[in-house]
């Protein structure tokens, strides 16, 4: 079948057009992939503490909301509030780079003792928090005790005399009695007692 010059030009033009469309599709797919990566990084940075790589305060607050039981459910929730003892003295004596290293090692110690479903975060400054879904008081105290041992065995922390004060509590929660402020107040009271009693210890609230 003989094709006219016009038909040949149309076919060539269509082929070039399809090639251009495919190139544009590939370019668009690449841009979409890069945009997804950027969005994921933005979400990560919005919820992760840059120094310790634990969750930040914003993410912890959101986690409290997610942990509220549904109607008719009863659950346990353990909470640990953790302070690095005399952290200002560490910064003043050894410098802020060492202070940062201390916080990173405390965070790593926390990560090493919590369970896969637990939620650990930097609550601000030298204070950390761990939420322990499903943990009764025995499990909460066991994880707290493991953290104290881990910190004592950490070479970097031991070299700089780092100890922790910890308040730990466990609550039986329902949708009706779920009160984050009340739970945090009780845990904070336990932490305060640990500090008042000489620090380097944990108190069960």
């Amino acid at each position: 079948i003989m094709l006219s010059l016009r038909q040949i030009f149309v076919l060539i033009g269509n082929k070039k057009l399809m090639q251009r469309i495919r190139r544009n599709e590939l370019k668009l797919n690449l841009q979409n992939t890069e945009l997804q990566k950027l969005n994921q990084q933005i979400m990560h940075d919005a919820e992760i503490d840059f120094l310790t790589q634990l969750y930040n305060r914003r993410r912890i607050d959101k986690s409290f909301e997610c942990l509220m039981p549904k109607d008719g459910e009863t659950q346990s929730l353990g909470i640990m509030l953790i302070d690095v003892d005399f952290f200002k003295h560490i910064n003043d004596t050894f410098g802020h780079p060492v202070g940062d290293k201390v916080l990173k090692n405390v965070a790593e110690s926390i990560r090493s003792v919590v369970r896969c479903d637990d939620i650990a975060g930097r609550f601000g400054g030298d204070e950390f928090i761990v939420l322990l879904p499903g943990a009764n008081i025995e499990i909460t105290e066991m994880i707290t005790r493991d953290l104290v041992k881990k910190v004592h065995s950490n070479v970097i922390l031991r070299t700089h005399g780092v100890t922790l004060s910890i308040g730990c509590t466990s609550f039986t929660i329902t949708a009706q009695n779920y009160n984050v402020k009340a739970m945090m107040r009780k845990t904070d009271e336990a932490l305060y007692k640990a500090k008042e009693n000489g620090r380097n210890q944990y108190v069960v609230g």
Side-chain angles (χ1 to χ4, degrees):
I1 299 173
M2 297 294 292
L3 296 175
S4 68
L5 284 175
R6 179 170 180 168
Q7 288 174 317
I8 292 172
F9 288 145
V10 169
L11 289 173
I12 292 173
N14 286 342
K15 185 177 180 181
K16 288 183 178 178
L17 179 61
M18 290 304 297
Q19 288 174 340
R20 191 179 300 120
I21 290 173
R22 278 195 290 269
R23 284 197 300 269
N24 287 339
E25 284 179 343
L26 289 172
K27 185 177 180 181
L28 186 60
N29 288 338
L30 182 62
Q31 289 174 338
N32 284 338
T33 300
E34 292 299 320
L35 185 60
Q36 287 176 355
K37 289 181 180 178
L38 180 61
N39 286 336
Q40 288 173 354
Q41 186 63 46
I42 291 172
M43 289 180 64
H44 175 276
D45 293 344
E47 296 190 338
I48 301 296
D49 175 63
F50 75 98
L51 179 64
T52 64
Q53 293 301 299
L54 296 178
Y55 287 129
N56 59 21
R57 179 72 175 264
R58 175 183 175 182
R59 181 63 174 82
I60 292 296
D61 289 342
K62 189 184 298 183
S63 296
F64 268 118
E65 294 176 12
C66 295
L67 289 171
M68 180 175 176
K70 296 178 181 178
D71 285 335
E73 291 184 348
T74 301
Q75 301 172 10
S76 295
L77 175 63
I79 303 177
M80 299 163 58
L81 278 178
I82 304 155
D83 258 10
V84 180
D85 293 331
F86 305 113
F87 183 69
K88 184 178 184 303
H89 176 74
I90 294 171
N91 269 337
D92 292 344
T93 304
F94 302 108
H96 289 280
V98 171
D100 288 349
K101 188 180 291 187
V102 164
L103 294 177
K104 289 179 182 178
N105 275 266
V106 170
E108 184 56 42
S109 297
I110 293 171
R111 267 193 294 269
S112 70
V113 300
V114 297
R115 306 163 303 171
C116 60
D117 292 331
D118 295 335
I119 301 162
R122 185 182 180 191
F123 216 45
D126 61 327
E127 188 173 55
F128 298 85
I129 185 170
V130 181
L131 307 181
L132 307 162
N136 58 23
I137 195 60
E138 288 79 17
I139 294 174
T140 301
E141 185 174 4
M142 179 189 71
I143 294 173
T144 303
R145 194 164 50 242
D146 288 345
L147 175 59
V148 172
K149 292 177 182 176
K150 182 64 70 171
V151 167
H152 286 168
S153 66
N154 182 292
V155 175
I156 292 175
L157 298 179
R158 190 170 65 241
T159 299
H160 294 96
V162 175
T163 60
L164 303 180
S165 295
I166 307 172
C168 64
T169 48
S170 178
F171 303 89
T172 300
I173 54 175
T174 65
Q176 288 69 38
N177 73 1
Y178 193 69
N179 187 322
V180 174
K181 287 184 178 180
M183 291 189 293
M184 286 297 296
R185 184 166 57 249
K186 184 176 180 182
T187 312
D188 194 53
E189 288 172 357
L191 173 61
Y192 180 78
K193 287 179 183 177
K195 293 179 180 180
E196 195 177 43
N197 293 343
R199 304 177 190 258
N200 188 21
Q201 60 186 277
Y202 69 86
V203 169
V204 179

